[in-house]
Amino acid sequence: MNEETARILLAHGNGGRLMRELIAGIFARHLGNPLLDTDADAVALPRLDGEIMVTTDGFTVQPLEFPGGDLGSLAVHGVVNDLAVAGAEPRYLTLSALIEEGLELPTLERLIASLADAARAAGVAVVAGDTKVVRRGEGGGLYLSVAGIGVKRAATLDLRRVQAGDAVLVSGPVGDHGIAVMLAREQFGLSGELRSDCASVLPLARAVWELPGLRFMRDPTRGGLATVCHEIARATGHTVVLTQASVPLRPEVVSVCEMLGYDPYYLACEGRIVAVTDASAAGELLERWRAVRGGEDAAIIGRIDEAGARVILETELGGRRVIDELEDDPLPRIC
Amino acid sequence: MNEETARILLAHGNGGRLMRELIAGIFARHLGNPLLDTDADAVALPRLDGEIMVTTDGFTVQPLEFPGGDLGSLAVHGVVNDLAVAGAEPRYLTLSALIEEGLELPTLERLIASLADAARAAGVAVVAGDTKVVRRGEGGGLYLSVAGIGVKRAATLDLRRVQAGDAVLVSGPVGDHGIAVMLAREQFGLSGELRSDCASVLPLARAVWELPGLRFMRDPTRGGLATVCHEIARATGHTVVLTQASVPLRPEVVSVCEMLGYDPYYLACEGRIVAVTDASAAGELLERWRAVRGGEDAAIIGRIDEAGARVILETELGGRRVIDELEDDPLPRIC
């Protein structure tokens, strides 16, 4: 071993000695649990008591580490959150890592250790994994794909259950992740105190799974709040009306958006929930969320109107503005 | 639309209109099944009757299409095979696609259609998916990560059940995938008739799941036959003795290996099984495999010896050669 930082070599992916040592020394060491067997092609799960729910997500965020999170914690939260908003208690994850030749081993280890911490905190175990190494210039340092297996705990939550008259809520300020990651990219020449909201929304979801009148939840990641509203509008044929004054936004997000011309409603969140509920249950949902850590700034931000399949913003000056479906990509590799 | 071939844009990954159209037009169209709901964050599975087994694998093969297969079929077979050799009937897959900006849409569609065909043929449904787009120069055209869920149907098969005196078998010629992919890379200036063995081994595995005396199976992918033998030697402390004359090899694989100095025992297969069985059951296993399509060339290729934790080749000339654990990578992005 010379004095330079140890880096990933192509031979770390070939099935031989270096790959075995990489898996044992980093992946198995941090992710180890009684079910994970790196010598097995597949592992048997303990009996799951209830209806099984599954999801998958790929993670490509750049930079790999940013204020408030990193690729490893993001990968766990992204999948845990997809299960949580669908009404499932997350239990098991699988992990596929695509590593670029040249990635520094200490960086890889920090990211996998962070992933392991996030998994422990969310109560999920990584039960199967795979690593591949691609040549320099054919990757982005590290990409992670995670599948999640959970057990259904809520009544069926579905976009198509949303009705005219329902209330729309969000669990906290929107756009933090998008702006935090953007500021962490050197090319913008900006920096700030803002941290990504990257977090598990499981406690927020659990607090309302049993709430009568809850129709639908989604975590507004890529495409942000606006995109979730468009999904609701398209699936139901109703119009989503947001009231500008009530959508929580951090001042730093507002400033950066004004400076760079972004619309915060399209920016990714990684630790928020958008919920739609019967209007009569909105107060109870809000109260429950505000009692959970991370839900202090939850707000009722809009309603579902009969009229057709659009997203409308009622501005603070009393106007109405159509929010279009997202076209151009403001920020690639945001999640 | 201009006359140039349509290609993946960054905006195909942003959560907005183009992403929705890409998912509907290619992924949902080819992979559609009653469980897949591209509007949902997670899907509920029908009740699984038996012990659940899971696995995951990432796929990065280059070129994306090669004689005998492509990235799409490879991704299904890789995961189906991992479940099959572990004794599980594959049922459900999740799919995470990392697409590079600039990939031609017709290429993407061919690969996903091929993936869908392979899934149908293996009797598995893709129930959840995710797509991400990375910038040009940060990917390899298309990378796929697949997780698989199956139901255990065989007695527990485990590396650690292997005993001295056991027989080692392989279901067909080794190294076809490695050489076929290598020849498909232009830089080698070679071409040939050889096709990858890329295929589902599920029929071969099913034929022997119930066989008394079966200890362990593995599909020899990265690192090939030699690497599986090393895994056995390391896990058991026994020596794996292969008899050179009995390891099936296609003449094209032998020629290319001689020309380029590769050892075929380290080359990837994508449609073979290595099995270890009680010696008394080896004949029966061989007979069952030879009766299955794809198992015609199955052979008993070696035995497990008491002595310590090595892999030995008994050569055709009567000598004994140690087969070392793989060090350098002969072929990156082979699977």
Side-chain angles (χ1 to χ4, degrees), chain A residues 10-20 37-48 50-60 62 81-83 85-86 88 94-98 100 127-135 137-140 143-147 149 152 158-160 185 187 216-219 222-223 227 231 234-235 325-330 332-333 335, chain B residues 10-20 37-48 50-60 62 81-83 85-86 88 94-98 100 127-135 137-140 143-147 149 152 158-160 185 187 216-219 222-223 227 231 234-235 325-330 332-333 335:
Chain A
L10 284 176
H12 279 113
N14 70 4
R17 179 178 63 85
L18 285 176
M19 185 174 112
R20 177 167 55 81
D37 179 357
T38 57
D39 278 342
D41 278 307
V43 298
L45 299 183
R47 191 179 169 73
L48 286 162
E51 195 170 4
I52 294 170
M53 298 194 77
V54 298
T55 189
T56 191
D57 219 336
F59 300 90
T60 66
Q62 191 265 321
N81 292 353
D82 279 348
L83 287 166
V85 296
T94 67
L95 173 66
S96 165
L98 302 182
E100 187 182 8
V127 293
D130 180 67
T131 59
K132 291 287 185 303
V133 176
V134 297
R135 281 179 293 223
E138 298 177 348
Y143 297 140
L144 299 177
S145 289
V146 175
I149 297 174
K152 192 173 171 185
D158 193 305
L159 216 41
R160 288 159 284 235
R185 294 186 188 169
Q187 74 261 35
F216 168 71
M217 295 194 287
R218 175 146 295 167
D219 52 330
R222 263 182 299 182
T227 295
E231 289 167 343
R234 205 167 42 245
E325 189 175 9
L326 185 60
E327 289 281 332
D328 288 336
D329 197 359
R333 289 186 62 187
C335 59
Chain B
L10 284 176
H12 278 112
N14 70 2
R17 180 178 63 86
L18 285 175
M19 186 175 112
R20 177 168 55 82
D37 179 355
T38 57
D39 278 342
D41 276 310
V43 298
L45 299 183
R47 191 179 169 74
L48 287 162
E51 196 170 2
I52 295 171
M53 297 195 77
V54 297
T55 188
T56 191
D57 219 336
F59 299 91
T60 66
Q62 192 266 322
N81 293 352
D82 280 350
L83 288 167
V85 297
T94 67
L95 173 66
S96 164
L98 302 182
E100 187 182 10
V127 294
D130 181 66
T131 58
K132 291 287 186 304
V133 176
V134 298
R135 280 178 294 222
E138 297 178 349
Y143 296 141
L144 299 176
S145 289
V146 175
I149 298 175
K152 191 172 172 188
D158 192 303
L159 217 42
R160 288 158 284 234
R185 294 186 189 168
Q187 75 260 35
F216 167 71
M217 294 194 286
R218 175 146 294 165
D219 53 329
R222 266 183 298 183
T227 295
E231 288 167 343
R234 204 168 42 247
E325 189 175 9
L326 186 60
E327 288 282 330
D328 288 336
D329 198 358
R333 289 187 62 188
C335 58

Side-chain angles (χ1 to χ4, degrees), chain A residues 44-300:
Chain A
L45 299 183
R47 191 179 169 73
L48 286 162
D49 186 21
E51 195 170 4
I52 294 170
M53 298 194 77
V54 298
T55 189
T56 191
D57 219 336
F59 300 90
T60 66
V61 70
Q62 191 265 321
L64 298 172
E65 297 171 300
F66 49 83
D70 55 53
L71 180 71
S73 58
L74 182 69
V76 169
H77 294 144
V79 169
V80 161
N81 292 353
D82 279 348
L83 287 166
V85 296
E89 184 77 36
R91 299 289 296 278
Y92 302 113
L93 304 181
T94 67
L95 173 66
S96 165
L98 302 182
I99 317 172
E100 187 182 8
E101 179 188 16
L103 179 67
E104 295 186 353
L105 282 168
T107 304
L108 178 64
E109 177 148 21
R110 279 197 309 280
L111 296 172
I112 299 305
S114 169
L115 187 154
D117 285 345
R120 262 188 299 275
V124 292
V126 176
V127 293
D130 180 67
T131 59
K132 291 287 185 303
V133 176
V134 297
R135 281 179 293 223
R136 212 180 281 264
E138 298 177 348
L142 182 63
Y143 297 140
L144 299 177
S145 289
V146 175
I149 297 174
V151 180
K152 192 173 171 185
R153 292 288 180 241
T156 297
L157 301 171
D158 193 305
L159 216 41
R160 288 159 284 235
R161 296 180 64 236
V162 171
Q163 296 172 26
D166 285 353
V168 181
L169 295 94
V170 70
S171 65
V174 300
D176 297 6
H177 178 75
I179 295 297
V181 168
M182 203 188 63
L183 293 182
R185 294 186 188 169
E186 289 173 16
Q187 74 261 35
F188 286 94
L190 293 168
S191 69
E193 294 297 301
L194 189 70
R195 293 167 64 83
S196 165
D197 55 316
C198 181
S200 163
V201 300
L202 188 53
L204 289 161
R206 271 196 199 121
V208 299
W209 278 341
E210 308 287 335
L211 186 70
L214 178 64
R215 315 270 197 216
F216 168 71
M217 295 194 287
R218 175 146 295 167
D219 52 330
T221 58
R222 263 182 299 182
L225 173 62
T227 295
V228 174
C229 293
H230 270 280
E231 289 167 343
I232 297 168
R234 205 167 42 245
T236 61
H238 297 318
T239 287
V240 180
V241 181
L242 297 176
T243 51
Q244 186 172 28
S246 58
V247 178
L249 284 171
R250 293 195 195 283
E252 303 94 309
V253 170
V254 175
S255 321
V256 175
C257 282
E258 281 173 359
M259 202 180 320
L260 299 179
Y262 289 132
D263 182 334
Y265 300 152
Y266 293 103
L267 294 176
C269 309
E270 290 291 344
R272 305 291 179 230
I273 303 180
V274 173
V276 182
T277 181
D278 184 285
S280 67
E284 170 72 15
L285 194 154
L286 192 63
E287 202 171 298
R288 291 191 188 189
W289 270 358
R290 286 187 171 166
V292 173
R293 200 171 149 213
E296 300 83 356
D297 298 321
I300 300 173

Side-chain angles (χ1 to χ4, degrees), chain B residues 216-240:
Chain B
F216 167 71
M217 294 194 286
R218 175 146 294 165
D219 53 329
T221 57
R222 266 183 298 183
L225 173 63
T227 295
V228 174
C229 293
H230 270 281
E231 288 167 343
I232 297 169
R234 204 168 42 247
T236 61
H238 297 319
T239 286
V240 180

Side-chain angles (χ1 to χ4, degrees), chain B residues 27-334:
Chain B
F27 288 89
R29 191 155 71 79
H30 289 285
L31 301 172
N33 65 74
L35 292 173
L36 182 65
D37 179 355
T38 57
D39 278 342
D41 276 310
V43 298
L45 299 183
R47 191 179 169 74
L48 287 162
D49 185 23
E51 196 170 2
I52 295 171
M53 297 195 77
V54 297
T55 188
T56 191
D57 219 336
F59 299 91
T60 66
V61 70
Q62 192 266 322
L64 299 173
E65 297 171 299
F66 49 82
D70 55 54
L71 180 72
S73 58
L74 183 69
V76 170
H77 294 144
V79 169
V80 161
N81 293 352
D82 280 350
L83 288 167
V85 297
E89 184 77 35
R91 299 289 297 277
Y92 302 112
L93 304 181
T94 67
L95 173 66
S96 164
L98 302 182
I99 316 173
E100 187 182 10
E101 180 188 16
L103 179 66
E104 296 186 354
L105 283 169
T107 304
L108 178 64
E109 176 148 22
R110 279 198 309 279
L111 296 172
I112 300 306
S114 169
L115 189 155
D117 285 344
R120 261 188 299 275
V124 292
V126 176
V127 294
D130 181 66
T131 58
K132 291 287 186 304
V133 176
V134 298
R135 280 178 294 222
R136 213 180 280 263
E138 297 178 349
L142 182 65
Y143 296 141
L144 299 176
S145 289
V146 175
I149 298 175
V151 181
K152 191 172 172 188
R153 294 288 180 237
T156 297
L157 301 172
D158 192 303
L159 217 42
R160 288 158 284 234
R161 297 179 64 234
V162 171
Q163 296 173 25
D166 284 351
V168 182
L169 295 93
V170 70
S171 66
V174 301
D176 297 6
H177 178 74
I179 295 296
V181 169
M182 202 187 66
L183 294 183
R185 294 186 189 168
E186 288 173 15
Q187 75 260 35
F188 285 96
L190 293 167
S191 69
E193 294 298 301
L194 190 71
R195 293 166 64 84
S196 164
D197 54 316
C198 179
S200 163
V201 300
L202 187 54
L204 290 160
R206 271 195 199 125
V208 300
W209 277 342
E210 306 289 335
L211 186 73
L214 178 65
R215 316 272 197 216
F216 167 71
M217 294 194 286
R218 175 146 294 165
D219 53 329
T221 57
R222 266 183 298 183
L225 173 63
T227 295
V228 174
C229 293
H230 270 281
E231 288 167 343
I232 297 169
R234 204 168 42 247
T236 61
H238 297 319
T239 286
V240 180
V241 181
L242 297 176
T243 52
Q244 187 172 26
S246 59
V247 179
L249 284 171
R250 293 196 195 281
E252 302 93 313
V253 170
V254 174
S255 317
V256 175
C257 282
E258 282 174 358
M259 204 180 317
L260 298 179
Y262 288 133
D263 183 334
Y265 300 153
Y266 294 104
L267 294 177
C269 309
E270 289 292 343
R272 306 289 178 229
I273 303 180
V274 173
V276 182
T277 181
D278 184 286
S280 68
E284 169 72 16
L285 194 154
L286 192 62
E287 202 171 299
R288 290 191 189 189
W289 270 359
R290 287 187 171 168
V292 174
R293 204 175 145 208
E296 299 84 355
D297 298 320
I300 299 173
I301 58 170
R303 63 180 189 277
I304 308 296
D305 267 4
E306 283 282 357
R310 290 186 305 169
V311 181
I312 298 287
L313 185 71
E314 292 182 340
T315 65
E316 300 188 52
L317 302 169
R320 284 167 71 91
R321 167 162 86 78
V322 172
I323 296 190
D324 289 321
E325 189 175 9
L326 186 60
E327 288 282 330
D328 288 336
D329 198 358
L331 294 168
R333 289 187 62 188
I334 197 68

